[in-house]
Amino acid sequence: MSGFTIGRLVPPHVRAFEAYVPSPPDDVLLRRFGVAHLHRLNNNENPLGPPAAAQAVLARFRPADAALYPQGDGWHLRRAIAGRFGLDAGQVILGNGANEVIGFVIKAFCETGDNIVTADRTFAVYEWLASFSGIEPRLVPLRDQGFDDAGLLRAIDARTRVVFLCNPNNPTGSWWDHARLERFLDAVDGRAIVVADEAYAEFAEHPDFPDSFALMARYPNLVVFRTFSKMWGMAGLRIGWMAAAPEVAATVRKTSISYSVNLLALEAARAAVWDADHLEATRAHVRQARAGLAELAARLGLEMLGGIGNFGMLRLPIADTVAHRRLMARGVMARAMTSFRYPGWLRVSFGTAPAMAAFAEALEAVLAE
Ligand SMILES: *Cc1c(COP(=O)(O)O)cnc(C)c1O
């Protein structure tokens, strides 16, 4: 007889954690909502896809090579990234999406009794990873829909190991400029690692957006996250990276997982790194979609949030969960924001022109119901 009872084996912080449930695949959703087509505007994907050079790499891939392990730590890609951003390859660590890199950093710097500091309404994965790792997440309320530097500084104590800034912030699109990030780093004064998650940095067209790679030379506790999922249109390949001062990168390398980035992702990303045309085309698309959403918001009398990024948020006069369901029934999927602590708001990714038109038409109809 097995004496197995799972409860005894599960640490309290895991028992208390509620698992994230991703949305089901499209075929399931189509059946569930009885629609023939679904416009997904919930994941901030790039409707232009990967850059042409990356698409060519994918098309050339030899299926038989799927049998081979990739090179274990992204030798060539790390050199390409370093060359592009003026770094040393030793400063760059790759992950299976930036999501995986969040875990590397928490594992490298935190032990039981430590805490991380971030905002209450930001990318939730920092909080989740800390929680189910037994590390206390300290959540500082946003101020004016953005990260509150004074509040973050007050929350830092002797057990704070990492401060996660989401810049620009998902979901509000708010951002800190170079001077503000620099003042914050001065005030933290090396007491904790400061992560600037710049998943949407390539969408920034403002000259005052931080040059974080330059700041890293003077602030060795600064860690920068980037991803190929958003601007580079490669979310399905799961690849992201971080850069840090050499000694910090060397420490994180210990807790990083070799071989976690697949062959296709490594090669496609290497082809994408220098592509400027794709960047310009995507920026033009985003400008147009943002203007369209602002127009819709104005027409429907809805408050809109959205600074930098390929998404915007709308405040609805009805529950976001209800709006979400009704939009689904019309073949449009936006992000209901109650679970991001933004009840009453929807986040909409800047998809193709037809998808944005379908969203506008569906939302207008839903609000008239
Ligand atoms: C999308 C996103 C990421 C993670 O992206 P990956 O697909 O895991 O690389 C990280 N941070 C923010 C703020 C994001 O929106």
Side-chain angles (χ1 to χ4, degrees), residues 10-293:
V10 183
H13 59 265
V14 175
R15 208 176 304 141
F17 187 78
E18 216 176 297
Y20 172 70
V21 183
S23 65
D26 285 19
D27 57 330
V28 173
L29 290 173
L30 292 177
R31 259 180 279 123
R32 189 176 294 173
F33 288 91
V35 288
H37 183 77
L38 187 62
H39 293 288
R40 267 199 188 252
L41 298 174
N42 64 325
N43 275 339
N44 301 344
E45 293 151 348
N46 187 338
L48 275 57
Q55 295 206 22
V57 165
L58 299 176
R60 273 202 309 272
F61 184 73
R62 290 185 345 124
D65 284 351
L68 308 175
Y69 276 99
Q71 194 275 325
D73 66 354
W75 176 280
H76 285 304
L77 177 59
R78 285 189 299 109
R79 275 156 187 77
I81 289 170
R84 169 73 179 76
F85 295 102
L87 301 164
D88 186 88
Q91 297 181 261
V92 178
I93 295 175
L94 306 176
N96 195 277
N99 271 332
E100 192 183 43
V101 180
I102 300 170
F104 298 165
V105 170
I106 288 179
K107 276 182 280 182
F109 294 105
C110 301
E111 62 181 325
T112 308
D114 291 340
N115 65 72
I116 63 125
V117 170
T118 188
D120 61 343
R121 287 173 295 174
T122 185
F123 192 58
V125 181
Y126 325 126
E127 175 190 346
W128 293 343
L129 255 155
S131 296
F132 65 60
S133 306
I135 308 300
E136 178 199 355
R138 296 199 167 172
L139 307 181
V140 177
L142 291 186
R143 193 184 184 90
D144 301 328
Q145 315 288 5
F147 271 68
D148 172 16
D149 16 25
L152 293 166
L153 288 168
R154 277 196 301 273
I156 295 174
D157 69 8
R159 295 305 299 267
T160 301
R161 294 292 174 261
V162 187
V163 179
F164 285 97
L165 308 174
C166 190
N167 199 41
N169 189 34
N170 176 6
T172 56
S174 64
W175 58 285
W176 285 6
D177 65 14
H178 191 88
R180 191 166 176 187
L181 178 58
E182 196 168 10
R183 278 198 304 277
F184 183 75
L185 288 163
D186 278 331
V188 172
D189 196 23
R191 286 173 295 160
I193 296 291
V194 174
V195 169
D197 180 348
E198 299 187 340
Y200 300 93
E202 297 91 351
F203 296 96
E205 299 195 63
H206 202 289
D208 293 338
F209 190 81
D211 181 352
S212 304
F213 299 120
L215 287 174
M216 236 153 48
R218 272 190 297 130
Y219 301 94
N221 57 323
L222 176 61
V223 172
V224 178
F225 289 176
R226 294 288 181 98
T227 178
F228 285 97
S229 296
K230 307 289 162 55
M231 171 57 81
W232 302 106
M234 293 165 46
L237 292 178
R238 312 302 305 124
I239 177 165
W241 55 281
M242 59 156 262
E247 56 185 341
V248 170
T251 298
V252 177
R253 183 162 305 107
K254 295 184 189 186
T255 58
S256 73
I257 308 210
S258 300
Y259 300 100
S260 79
V261 182
N262 70 77
L263 270 176
L264 272 167
L266 287 173
E267 290 307 314
R270 189 177 165 200
V273 165
W274 290 95
D275 195 309
D277 294 345
H278 178 80
L279 202 123
E280 280 317 312
T282 302
R283 284 177 174 176
H285 163 75
V286 162
R287 276 195 296 272
Q288 201 168 19
R290 182 183 288 117
L293 193 67

